[in-house]
Amino acid sequence: MSDIIKYHNDFNKIQLPSFNELEQNLLCAIFLQIKEKGHKETIKFPVLELKKIALQGNLKDNEHFKSLMKNLFYKFFKADFTILIKDEKGRTGETFVNLFEKVTFWNSDKLLEEIEIKVNEDFSYLVNSLTKEFTSFELAEFVALSGKYTKTLYRLLKQYRTTGKAYFEWSEFKRIIDIPETYRQSEIDKWILKPAIKELTKEKNLFDQIRVPFKNLTFKKKKIKSRGRGGKVVGIEFTFKPENITIQKIENEIIKNASDEDKILMTCNNLCQSKIRFKYEEKIYQSNSFDFYDFTFNAVELQEDELGNLISYNTKIWKCNDKEQFFKMIKTFTSNIY
């Protein structure tokens, strides 16, 4: 899951119609499979990694998985892929095509075994020959994020990861993020921007490394005078600490050279300080506290209410017999971040 997603920056301009969190995860996992594979031949790849993401370990639920994948491609074929063209008369035209020319599901004994994709030549550059103007990020970090708006904003900001500053025209930003037209400014702030900023500045543990997707991330709206109170919003600017590749390599080297005990201790601290959620034995938990020397871990079980919100239901305490068992348990939790 440490694989790097990479695509041309133009993909960030495309609105993904009503894509939820899971569908965005799966799409990025597909991008990983078709990256730099060209467009002349069809691309075949097994579905095991996609199943792990879609079914969160329950690989037997094949019909549910097929339904998820068919719905994903149905939505993706509705996405607004538009290119501008000119003819010999000087006229300008808009052509609507799609990244995928065709998608085939191959079944064996009624089980979805393989997916075959043909990339459209007109949009091949989005996933091929990526030497400049590209966006890249780790699939694991993307999957670990919560919230469909959070994931889209994450992709947009990763394009500016080395500058730490990104500006968008307001109407274009709302289109790409897929913000409902009925939302007022206060609702956009409350339900979309503030939760996304909170999630993108939260510490996360990946591969025994403590990370923050975007440090010091803030936003500021650009306004012009108008009849309404507070002015008319015409743009939005995000600022954050730019990625320093050299510093990151040093930090990763320190973590890599740490003892197993130090790594587990850092992991436990991150899980509990950030209240990270994980799935275990078909239940969802939120990390709470731990005792490193007593080999215990405390979490709160979460269940959905009638509105689909996850609320506290019960407290769970795991008690291990020794250090080896405790280490194994923590690694299990971190491999199933929800």
Side-chain angles (χ1 to χ4, degrees):
M1 288 284 286
S2 60
D3 304 291
I4 303 298
I5 308 301
K6 190 176 179 182
Y7 55 75
H8 194 280
N9 292 339
D10 282 357
F11 183 75
N12 289 329
K13 302 174 184 176
I14 297 168
Q15 181 193 51
L16 300 177
S18 304
F19 268 51
N20 59 34
E21 293 180 50
L22 176 56
E23 288 162 344
Q24 291 191 55
N25 292 343
L26 289 169
L27 181 60
C28 284
I30 290 169
F31 270 30
L32 180 67
Q33 299 290 338
I34 66 176
K35 179 180 65 178
E36 302 292 4
K37 296 289 180 62
H39 64 271
K40 293 184 179 180
E41 303 293 334
T42 57
I43 304 162
K44 295 181 180 180
F45 55 89
V47 299
L48 183 59
E49 281 303 314
L50 298 180
K51 271 189 174 184
K52 288 180 180 178
I53 293 173
L55 304 178
Q56 299 179 352
N58 183 20
L59 302 184
K60 296 181 180 179
D61 195 351
N62 193 69
E63 288 304 315
H64 180 47
F65 174 68
K66 283 201 291 186
S67 177
L68 286 172
M69 294 307 300
K70 287 181 179 179
N71 191 55
L72 167 70
F73 284 109
Y74 173 75
K75 285 187 177 182
F76 196 69
F77 274 104
K78 290 169 59 180
D80 182 13
F81 288 80
T82 307
I83 56 175
L84 298 177
I85 59 173
K86 284 189 177 182
D87 64 8
E88 65 279 0
K89 297 180 182 179
R91 296 180 303 177
T92 300
E94 290 180 300
T95 299
F96 300 91
V97 291
N98 198 276
L99 172 60
F100 302 136
E101 188 174 297
K102 67 175 181 178
V103 178
T104 305
F105 287 22
W106 290 105
N107 301 285
S108 177
D109 295 326
K110 296 184 179 181
L111 296 178
L112 179 57
E113 187 176 84
E114 192 175 59
I115 294 178
E116 184 176 3
I117 290 176
K118 180 75 166 60
V119 175
N120 192 315
E121 182 178 358
D122 291 322
F123 276 118
S124 176
Y125 77 97
L126 288 177
V127 290
N128 294 302
S129 303
L130 299 170
T131 57
K132 61 179 182 178
E133 296 184 26
F134 63 84
T135 299
S136 67
F137 51 84
E138 285 183 272
L139 177 60
E141 186 170 71
F142 184 78
V143 170
L145 296 171
S146 297
K148 69 172 189 176
Y149 296 118
T150 300
K151 289 179 181 289
T152 304
L153 182 58
Y154 172 92
R155 290 192 296 104
L156 293 181
L157 295 183
K158 274 295 180 178
Q159 179 177 332
Y160 306 92
R161 61 194 180 280
T162 59
T163 64
K165 183 178 291 186
Y167 177 81
F168 306 95
E169 297 294 332
W170 185 241
S171 58
E172 179 69 357
F173 178 74
K174 289 203 303 179
R175 182 188 70 82
I176 296 172
I177 295 291
D178 197 22
I179 298 175
E181 288 296 328
T182 56
Y183 273 30
R184 296 174 296 182
Q185 288 293 335
S186 59
E187 292 173 323
I188 294 174
D189 289 354
K190 182 177 180 180
W191 301 115
I192 296 177
L193 291 175
K194 290 182 179 179
I197 296 294
K198 183 178 180 181
E199 176 71 6
L200 293 175
T201 54
K202 187 187 337 182
E203 285 188 344
K204 296 184 179 297
N205 183 286
L206 294 171
F207 315 114
D208 295 326
Q209 297 179 15
I210 297 175
R211 305 183 188 179
V212 176
F214 294 98
K215 295 181 179 179
N216 305 328
L217 175 60
T218 61
F219 71 91
K220 183 179 180 180
K221 293 176 183 176
K222 181 181 177 182
K223 299 180 180 180
I224 59 173
K225 291 183 179 180
S226 67
R227 293 182 178 180
R229 293 179 59 187
K232 179 182 178 182
V233 176
V234 295
I236 185 168
E237 182 180 66
F238 295 89
T239 57
F240 53 91
K241 184 179 179 180
E243 290 183 10
N244 188 312
I245 298 175
T246 302
I247 291 177
Q248 284 186 343
K249 286 182 178 179
I250 294 173
E251 291 176 344
N252 291 341
E253 194 66 27
I254 292 173
I255 294 172
K256 186 174 70 175
N257 294 328
S259 66
D260 288 343
E261 186 170 304
D262 287 338
K263 287 180 180 179
I264 293 296
L265 180 58
M266 287 188 288
T267 299
C268 289
N269 276 323
N270 183 57
L271 285 170
C272 296
Q273 289 175 5
S274 302
K275 303 297 180 184
I276 290 176
R277 296 173 179 179
F278 59 90
K279 192 168 185 178
Y280 182 70
E281 295 182 341
E282 302 304 316
K283 294 181 180 179
I284 300 169
Y285 295 93
Q286 181 170 288
S287 305
N288 188 24
S289 63
F290 71 98
D291 189 322
F292 191 71
Y293 301 102
D294 194 36
F295 310 128
T296 58
F297 193 89
N298 180 301
V300 177
E301 181 185 342
L302 304 175
Q303 290 192 2
E304 286 190 0
D305 62 12
E306 63 274 9
L307 299 176
N309 300 310
L310 288 174
I311 60 173
S312 300
Y313 173 73
N314 198 10
T315 300
K316 173 73 174 180
I317 299 176
W318 287 272
K319 169 69 174 175
C320 298
N321 296 323
D322 51 38
K323 185 189 297 184
E324 183 179 351
Q325 190 180 51
F326 183 74
F327 284 15
K328 184 178 180 181
M329 179 183 70
I330 297 302
K331 289 178 180 178
T332 300
F333 293 164
T334 54
S335 65
N336 292 282
I337 298 296
Y338 183 75

